[in-house]
Amino acid sequence: MADEALFLLLHNEMVSGVYKSAEQGEVENGRCITKLENMGFRVGQGLIERFTKDTARFKDELDIMKFICKDFWTTVFKKQIDNLRTNHQGIYVLQDNKFRLLTQMSAGKQYLEHASKYLAFTCGLIRGGLSNLGIKSIVTAEVSSMPACKLTSYFLTNVFSSYLSGLVVFVSCFCYLEDI
Amino acid sequence: MNYPLYIRSVPTENELKFHYMVHTSLDVVDEKISAMGKALVDQRELYLGLLYPTEDYKVYGYVTNSKVKFVMVVDSSNTALRDNEIRSMFRKLHNSYTDVMCNPFYNPGDRIQSRAFDGMVTSMMIQVC
């Protein structure tokens, strides 16, 4: 379908545009990834406003994440998230086995080192969507073999608890990821 | 963090009184949201209905999924205004707000300065008054 290709191609150009116009040192210090993530953030804010206009009120955080995995992902990427896991304490792992923005890139380990550039926008998208629904979060992505990717969102409950939870999150996500 | 993104009243005298009413009604909105689980009102609906009636005015509320609150203060003497008309006015507000969100010149959290939004509110107010 031609319309799927529209966003994919535009996104590819966005990434290469940001990297081409990068100033001295911006590629190494991660400024480019941040720029892409911030773009995704603003888009996510606007998108979530449009998508939740006609939906019923969300009951809780899990309801919101299910919405992101089903309706949101389907509207943006024409498919649902394949797997959602949570520790019920603010960490949600979204698994997409055939991430639309990576399928044209490779079917294994080729170009793996560039994958993070193509995931930054989507991380921002989720973070922006959650932010407008009243949830502050950090969203990171992991790719071990294309085109599968794992996006993890850490819900930040409040400034004080996040100092403690920062350590807990670090430790628990190590234990958590071992189960997978 | 409750500050108005947009506030407008017709007629413009006594504007401060309306500002104050809207501000105090925010507490009622929060109450209604937190009582959602036990209340009789359909907890999945965005429209909150009549928040509280005063002698001269009726105050209606609506909260979006993105935690944006819309508050409408209507003259009590305006008995012609029915519930479904209020609902459709809130829908129009919500739709226009969504458009504002998608405007690249709008920074979320700023005051709304879109003339299109202004125009929509003006035409709604003219219809009612």
Side-chain angles (χ1 to χ4, degrees), chain B residues 7-106:
Chain B
I7 184 153
R8 183 92 174 275
S9 56
V10 159
T12 46
E13 56 259 19
N14 280 331
E15 217 178 60
L16 211 57
K17 177 174 72 172
F18 290 120
H19 286 219
Y20 178 71
M21 278 186 84
V22 166
H23 200 83
T24 50
S25 64
L26 290 178
D27 286 329
V28 185
V29 171
D30 287 333
E31 240 178 66
K32 285 227 169 189
I33 301 277
S34 54
M36 275 306 191
K38 318 133 200 175
L40 305 131
V41 71
D42 178 9
Q43 65 166 295
R44 311 272 283 169
E45 258 210 72
L46 302 178
Y47 175 62
L48 296 176
L50 185 65
L51 295 177
Y52 66 90
T54 65
E55 235 173 52
D56 313 301
Y57 301 101
K58 292 199 203 127
V59 186
Y60 297 92
Y62 181 103
V63 182
T64 69
N65 265 321
S66 49
K67 312 284 185 281
V68 176
K69 306 173 183 83
F70 294 107
V71 177
M72 220 188 280
V73 180
V74 182
D75 208 301
S76 280
S77 58
N78 194 336
T79 48
L81 217 64
R82 284 187 320 255
D83 202 53
N84 56 352
E85 278 163 348
I86 305 268
R87 269 176 210 263
S88 79
M89 280 163 74
F90 275 127
R91 284 307 300 169
K92 278 209 205 121
L93 277 168
H94 194 172
N95 288 342
S96 292
Y97 175 72
T98 308
D99 288 338
V100 166
M101 254 315 207
C102 295
N103 188 332
F105 299 106
Y106 176 69

